[in-house]
Amino acid sequence: MRVVTFFLVGLAVHVVFFLSIFDIYFTSPLVHGMTPQKVSLAPPASRIVLLVADGLRADSLFSLLPNGSSRAPYLRSVMEDRGTWGVSHTHVPTESRPGHVALIAGFYEDVSAVAKGWKENPVEFDSVFNESRHTWSWGSPDILPMFAKGASGDHVYTHTYPAVEEDFASTDASRLDTWVFTQVKAFFQSARSNSSLKDILQEDQNVFFLHLLGIDTNGHAHRPQSREYQENIGLVDSGVEELVSVIEDFYHHDGRTAYVFTSDHGMTNWGSHGAGHASETLTPLVAWGAGVQVAQRPLEPQQYTDGYQQDWHLEKFRRVDVNQADIAPLMASLIGVPFPLNSVGMLPLLYLDNSGRFKAESMYTNAMQMLEQFKVQQYESILFEYVEPSSQITLCKSMITEALEGLVYYHTYDRFFLGCSVVLGFVGWTSYVVLLILKTHIPSQTLTRLCVCVTVVISVFLVIQKSPLTYYIYCLLPVPIWYSLELVIFKVRVSSAFRPIDLKCCLCCPQVVSFFHRAMLTVGLAALSLWPILTGIYSQAKMLHVAVCAYVPTLTHSSLEQKQGLPLINQVISWTTLASSMVVPLLSSTRLFHRLLSVFLSLSATFLLLSTGSEALFPPMLSWLMFVWINMEQEAMQAQGTSSRQELSTMDFADNIDITRIRQLKLDDIRRSYFFVSLFISFTVAIIYKKSFDPASVYCFLTVFNPFIMGGLMMWKVIIPFVIVMCTFETIQVTTQLSSRSLFLIVLVISDLMALHFFFLVQDYGSWLDIGTSISHYVIVMSMTIFLMLLSVATHILTSCRLTAWRRRKSHFP
């Protein structure tokens, strides 16, 4: 019962530490209650058409073919003649939802908000669609509904195809874009005979949004260098040309329609996105039509050092780069709707073709919208009237910068206070676990009164501050932790010859460095490989020879390459194998060798179905390596005279060591724990740097786009190596006759020390890639700590429990 209580308390503590990072660094920056701000002058456009080619890279659109022609001739002609072009710089995470939020609402959604939902609004926010008079949208059911649901009325209309159409194994994903263009043309054709709809379309402040998913789907299925991806770009280009013709004919070429063509994110060469590589963050932006500046010749060399213009042969045309959030205020200014209330984008004036007065008013509106969020100072428009337009623009830019700095200051106001509380909790918990390994505790009345007083003082302070509930958890959590720690300290006497805390502090440093320099893993594992030689075990070790034959599911990949879809029999076999992989081992004997072999083979079969190539050999090789590790640990125990060696087939998981028979800890136990943590970190870093979440790995199970099922399958693929290592660690605990609780606590301390390192390395400045990386490192290590706790329980069940499918009749042998 005590072990269960400790596990539950430890799990709760680490969940709090894990969640604290979002309250300290990633609380929502959105504020509410602002007064909408709009340009008072007449807008140059009555309507705007927003075309988003999902997953389109900037270089894929702008680069020329080997023969010197463009794969998108219409958009190329717009860039060189009657429009303005540039690169839109997206922010991580480079996913469809946050990308569209930045384009249409003007702010970058934080990671915690993205994690709260895929299709619906996790937080309330304003958008250009919401401020428009009417918005018609066509495209994916994963994107369109979230803006319609978040609108403050019923003026946002959505037209989507069935979700089943988003199939990576389809013969031609470009049909998704064809469907959109066909629907839009039919919509305008029907409006000619529908007088009520025609009257609505003649009103101003209307928005038409086309979400084109075909390029992204083809990129995932065939990669951006594929013929399917490149031809899809040409299809979109011709579709845009035809659409412009239809719209201009409908409005009799009144010159009041503006067009914006862009993308929500790019794509890597291997068909994924979400990180901060240039291929993912650089997206094209082309704008033309009413109120948009026509193509300009640069008067002097442009200050872009990336060299892309020369590769694209566009150095003769002015390039205007923007941040992705800048597009929302641009669209609002063109059609005269209020700027989105939570927008942090700055209006790109070089895209506007209007008077200096209109540009100044637009920038002033942008600044006032920022100041509404900041709520610290009001600038009177009367004084603004007597300033020259050029000075007005400079003043507004300064106001916007100061407002953004003020928003950041107040957004991070409680960070130091909460950070100190979390650090105290970390240090207290880690110290408590270390001392708990060595000695139990006794009660103290004086310490109890002191802790009660501290709790009251902190609670009163938080009440005065009107702090949210989570602040109470972060600030009060260190009190019981340090109370328990002090109780243990009263009885613990640590030998000067055994200093585990100092040792663990030194050991965890290489693991932290490995997150930034992968070569550190090579150095660390190479150093660990010298252990058998230095201890003399190498000469005694009997190497295991395991022959593993695996069948790679080539039929599925062959069928997909021929565009014949996913065979039903393959799908049935795959799902049956997955479902049985965690049940079959429980039917085998709990003898160490039999159970381990059953677990390894069951998990390897599932991993094979989730593999895309040579990685299918990883589970067999890992399993072989784990048997070697077990064998070497047995040799080490025998060489030290600790115990005689037993065959794995004679030992039983069900006979695990009882805590009352625990032996004394040795430095070898820390070494075993360090081996275990090193393997975990190796897999974790490999997941970070390798394309472990390639959608192609789930094609044996399904090909129709479903983010939750696909994500779950890819996550299980990642977890399989961890389960194999954890089962091996459970085996070593049995063979070395040490309580699983003791070894696990050592691992827990090492992991917590790493987490504390990364807590101090979290940053909210610099590039978005740096910020995202620092946050992900902390989240990964904290998740690993929680994951270890849950995985420890799961593997104990997987190795020690047995299901009886039927009762056997007793047999009597003479």
Side-chain angles (χ1 to χ4, degrees), residues 209-510:
F209 172 45
L210 282 69
H211 177 238
L212 307 169
L213 186 62
I215 294 177
D216 182 77
T217 305
N218 272 321
H220 285 306
H222 307 290
R223 310 298 183 264
Q225 292 79 22
S226 66
R227 174 181 57 84
E228 290 83 357
Y229 185 90
Q230 305 293 339
E231 290 182 352
N232 203 154
I233 297 176
L235 182 146
V236 167
D237 180 75
S238 59
V240 171
E241 181 179 15
E242 189 175 354
L243 173 70
V244 171
S245 176
V246 169
I247 293 177
E248 293 298 328
D249 288 344
F250 181 84
Y251 288 107
H252 305 291
H253 298 270
D254 63 354
R256 297 284 297 174
T257 306
Y259 301 88
V260 174
F261 179 90
T262 186
S263 175
D264 54 346
H265 56 75
M267 186 171 291
T268 62
N269 290 335
W270 52 88
S272 67
H273 54 79
H277 190 269
S279 61
E280 301 168 90
T281 60
L282 301 183
T283 59
L285 174 61
V286 183
W288 71 99
V292 179
Q293 185 66 259
V294 298
Q296 299 291 313
R297 299 275 182 173
L299 301 178
E300 56 185 16
Q302 302 185 72
Q303 301 301 315
Y304 295 106
T305 59
D306 50 29
Y308 289 134
Q309 284 174 271
Q310 289 74 22
D311 297 337
W312 300 336
H313 300 281
L314 288 169
E315 62 274 9
K316 296 181 180 180
F317 305 96
R318 185 173 66 180
R319 166 183 166 184
V320 183
D321 283 13
V322 301
N323 289 319
Q324 195 174 42
D326 299 342
I327 298 176
L330 172 63
M331 293 192 294
S333 177
L334 287 173
I335 59 176
V337 300
F339 283 36
L341 296 175
N342 299 113
S343 172
V344 297
M346 183 179 293
L347 179 65
L349 291 177
L350 294 179
Y351 277 85
L352 293 180
D353 181 19
N354 215 307
S355 64
R357 180 62 180 168
F358 181 84
K359 294 180 179 179
E361 284 285 347
S362 298
M363 186 59 71
Y364 173 72
T365 303
N366 196 178
M368 290 302 298
Q369 172 261 327
M370 294 281 192
L371 291 175
E372 278 291 323
Q373 299 181 67
F374 186 43
K375 292 185 177 180
V376 293
Q377 185 178 4
Q378 295 289 337
Y379 285 84
E380 295 293 338
S381 59
I382 297 178
L383 298 178
F384 192 79
E385 296 286 342
Y386 298 99
V387 184
E388 291 295 325
S390 59
S391 300
Q392 293 173 357
I393 294 174
T394 302
L395 175 61
C396 290
K397 288 182 177 180
S398 176
M399 292 162 57
I400 291 173
T401 302
E402 292 178 2
L404 289 175
E405 291 176 354
L407 286 171
V408 171
Y409 172 78
Y410 283 110
H411 183 223
T412 60
Y413 187 78
D414 293 324
R415 183 167 298 176
F416 178 76
F417 169 63
L418 294 178
C420 290
S421 298
V422 172
V423 169
L424 285 174
F426 256 121
V427 175
W429 167 259
T430 306
S431 303
Y432 171 71
V433 173
V434 171
L435 296 175
L436 191 63
I437 297 173
L438 306 176
K439 192 69 176 179
T440 57
H441 58 265
I442 59 173
S444 172
Q445 297 298 327
T446 304
L447 189 60
T448 302
R449 297 191 191 99
L450 177 61
C451 289
V452 171
C453 293
V454 172
T455 301
V456 172
V457 172
I458 294 176
S459 300
V460 171
F461 174 75
L462 294 176
V463 170
I464 295 175
Q465 290 286 95
K466 297 181 179 179
S467 302
L469 178 62
T470 52
Y471 284 34
Y472 287 85
I473 298 176
Y474 302 142
C475 297
L476 294 178
L477 183 61
V479 177
I481 291 177
W482 279 92
Y483 172 71
S484 302
L485 174 63
E486 291 296 329
L487 294 180
V488 176
I489 290 177
F490 285 150
K491 289 295 291 180
V492 171
R493 293 183 176 89
V494 181
S495 171
S496 60
F498 185 66
R499 298 293 302 277
I501 296 180
D502 295 340
L503 182 61
K504 293 186 186 70
C505 288
C506 297
L507 290 179
C508 72
C509 290

Side-chain angles (χ1 to χ4, degrees), residues 497-524:
F498 185 66
R499 298 293 302 277
I501 296 180
D502 295 340
L503 182 61
K504 293 186 186 70
C505 288
C506 297
L507 290 179
C508 72
C509 290
Q511 311 293 355
V512 174
V513 176
S514 67
F515 274 78
F516 306 98
H517 305 284
R518 282 181 287 172
M520 196 65 190
L521 285 174
T522 303
V523 175

